[in-house]
Amino acid sequence: MVLTGPAGTGKTTLIRKLLESSPVPMRTSIVYNPTLTPEEFLELALADFDMPKNSMNKAQRLLHLEHFLLAAYREGKVAVLIIDEAHKLSSQLLEEVRLLTNFETGKQKLLQILLVGQPELNGILNREELWQLKQRVAVRMQIQSLSSPDVPHYLRCRWTKAGGSEPLPFQAAAMDLIATWSKGIPRVINGICDNALVSAFGAGRKIVNPEDILDVVRDLDLQMGKRVEPARSVSPAPHPLSITQPAIMRVPVSNGEHGQEDEQGSLFSRLAVRFRIRRDGSAK
């Protein structure tokens, strides 16, 4: 199986969810960093499969793996090897992965393999020298970025899970900017919102406004993305529609001492000013 998606869309989160809620008993091994030599990769891949600690050569490791897989099969358990960041695998390591799929009985494969990586993994699997591996891919899954209408639902879900109550502490225009600047990537949405909530709190407000979002965008040095619209069911891949890029609003902030404006101050420096003003009673 192959699972692809842009960085920050939740691939590793889905892996954890799979391990927590599998409907069948599993024996799993997870490789999070595949930038290894073939020997190191095989050793790490088999580490969770009851591999003895004593040193082994490759033939001994594969023989032990076969015994382990047959034992798991007799116990009614599914053996799963999950390789994260699989787009970093070399062609040599991908060939090693293909050879691991040769363990089978007369009825089924003994080892299920899940390759998880960024979209370039699809291009890697299209290489001529990897056509045998591509033939063995039974299931392909792809995670898309959130569409603009999905972003408020995503925010509401996280806000509720954290114990917050309605309404959301984001103005509608602020949520629209979040969707645009995050490009619909959940990890970036989280970063923007966390910083914007802190910024609004530092200013003594309970609602995040568009200026808070643009301040955070400047501090995080984000690049303007395209608004992500819902994918049409008839289209094999969504085509985001571009929008006019809004200008970044420069919100002047008093430094609290000399009355000067600091347009280039970091998030922390602005927060320090706001907290100091609130502490001194100069503003409510």
Side-chain angles (χ1 to χ4, degrees):
M1 295 176 283
V2 174
L3 170 64
T4 58
T9 50
K11 300 183 295 296
T12 303
T13 300
L14 282 179
I15 292 175
R16 294 195 184 103
K17 187 64 177 177
L18 168 67
L19 298 179
E20 294 171 0
S21 59
S22 172
V24 296
M26 295 193 308
R27 293 298 305 272
T28 60
S29 178
I30 306 177
V31 177
Y32 286 108
N33 184 2
T35 55
L36 305 165
T37 66
E39 294 75 17
E40 292 170 337
F41 174 79
L42 184 60
E43 181 179 357
L44 183 59
L46 305 185
D48 294 335
F49 286 155
D50 292 339
M51 182 63 64
K53 300 299 182 182
N54 57 305
S55 60
M56 293 183 176
N57 58 37
K58 183 175 181 179
Q60 291 171 325
R61 290 186 185 280
L62 293 176
L63 183 61
H64 181 87
L65 174 61
E66 182 178 20
H67 292 161
F68 169 82
L69 295 176
L70 287 171
Y73 172 73
R74 288 191 292 266
E75 295 171 3
K77 297 178 180 179
V78 178
V80 183
L81 172 61
I82 301 173
I83 305 174
D84 203 0
E85 303 289 345
H87 57 281
K88 296 181 180 180
L89 287 169
S90 65
S91 296
Q92 184 179 10
L93 284 178
L94 284 169
E95 177 62 13
E96 292 287 340
V97 171
R98 182 187 72 83
L99 294 175
L100 291 178
T101 66
N102 288 333
F103 292 106
E104 59 186 351
T105 66
K107 297 182 179 180
Q108 68 180 59
K109 297 286 185 181
L110 293 177
L111 180 63
Q112 303 293 316
I113 299 177
L114 174 57
L115 298 177
V116 182
Q118 296 183 21
E120 51 261 41
L121 176 59
N122 293 318
I124 292 173
L125 294 176
N126 284 331
R127 294 175 182 170
E128 184 176 355
E129 67 269 21
L130 296 175
W131 69 272
Q132 293 185 71
L133 174 60
K134 185 177 179 181
Q135 280 184 336
R136 303 195 182 195
V137 176
V139 178
R140 281 180 177 264
M141 300 162 285
Q142 185 172 359
I143 304 177
Q144 301 289 350
S145 301
L146 296 175
S147 66
S148 293
D150 286 335
V151 171
H153 296 297
Y154 176 76
L155 296 181
R156 188 169 291 107
C157 178
R158 285 184 61 88
W159 185 251
T160 302
K161 288 288 186 181
S165 58
E166 294 287 356
L168 282 174
F170 296 90
Q171 291 182 1
M175 288 191 285
D176 192 56
L177 286 173
I178 293 170
T180 298
W181 284 95
S182 69
K183 305 178 185 179
I185 297 176
R187 180 185 296 159
V188 181
I189 294 174
N190 298 345
I192 292 175
C193 291
D194 288 347
N195 284 279
L197 286 166
V198 173
S199 181
F201 176 78
R205 290 181 279 102
K206 295 184 177 180
I207 300 296
V208 174
N209 59 35
E211 288 74 17
D212 294 318
I213 302 301
L214 293 171
D215 275 349
V216 170
V217 164
R218 181 186 66 186
D219 293 330
L220 297 180
D221 195 23
L222 297 180
Q223 301 297 317
M224 167 60 66
K226 295 180 179 180
R227 185 188 302 277
V228 183
E229 303 296 345
R232 298 179 180 178
S233 58
V234 296
S235 175
H239 297 278
L241 303 178
S242 61
I243 65 170
T244 302
Q245 177 171 333
I248 298 181
M249 296 177 62
R250 300 295 185 180
V251 183
V253 179
S254 169
N255 65 12
E257 294 179 1
H258 305 293
Q260 298 176 350
E261 294 179 349
D262 177 16
E263 293 186 345
Q264 302 301 324
S266 68
L267 172 65
F268 288 108
S269 65
R270 293 200 306 275
L271 287 178
V273 170
R274 292 168 179 171
F275 280 122
R276 183 164 64 250
I277 291 175
R278 293 178 64 188
R279 180 193 64 193
D280 296 341
S282 301
K284 299 294 184 182

